[in-house]
Amino acid sequence: MKHLLLSLFFISCLSFSQTPCENGFAGIYPCNGYDLVSEISLSTLSATASLANDSWGWTDPASGREFAIMSFTEGFAFVEITDPENPVITASVPITSTDVQRLWRDVKVYNNHAFMVGEDADQGMKVFNLNRLLTVTNPPEIFEPDTFFQGFGSAHNIAINEDSGYAYPIGAREFGGSGQVNG
């Protein structure tokens, strides 16, 4: 999965097929021994005025289908990479904010759910049930999150302790830079 995520999201405006890692580069990208299998531009993700800033992954435990989760200024995109040479933008969760849209967003996965935060003043933590991606028949679909936790406004990052099920917003002003949320 790490190989696929690293290979998939070397973002640029071009889209082309597999590029081997040679002499430390796959095309123009440093590769450290990983081939660039495919890439998707930000404009293809409908990220019109933003920069990408984080990616994470999820594998459905029942089917083995693999998804990359990309965060960018306007929200989050879910890309099926089960066939890494033919990625499919499956869905998105856009951000609608009363604050100026901030660059940074972060996402982590726990128990088949994506936990999404951002630096918008009213972002809080959005939770999305990733099993919903398995039923998409006409991609890409636009989804609303399943849950919206407003116990804090913004966070730069999120960490999840998988043993306890607690989510920790990092850089949340309400908690002096960190806090604990029972997941």
Side-chain angles (χ1 to χ4, degrees), residues 13-91:
C13 293
L14 301 174
S15 181
F16 55 90
S17 61
Q18 190 167 359
T19 304
C21 180
E22 297 174 343
N23 302 316
F25 284 87
I28 63 170
Y29 305 108
C31 57
N32 197 21
Y34 294 104
D35 293 342
L36 176 61
V37 178
S38 59
E39 66 180 310
I40 296 175
S41 69
L42 284 174
S43 61
T44 302
L45 291 173
S46 298
T48 55
S50 73
L51 298 173
N53 51 47
D54 194 25
S55 62
W56 206 253
W58 174 67
T59 301
D60 174 46
S63 68
R65 290 171 65 186
E66 295 179 296
F67 294 84
I69 306 166
M70 189 71 207
S71 63
F72 47 91
T73 302
E74 291 92 351
F76 300 87
F78 302 87
V79 181
E80 183 163 4
I81 57 172
T82 304
D83 176 359
E85 293 183 19
N86 298 295
V88 176
I89 302 169
T90 306

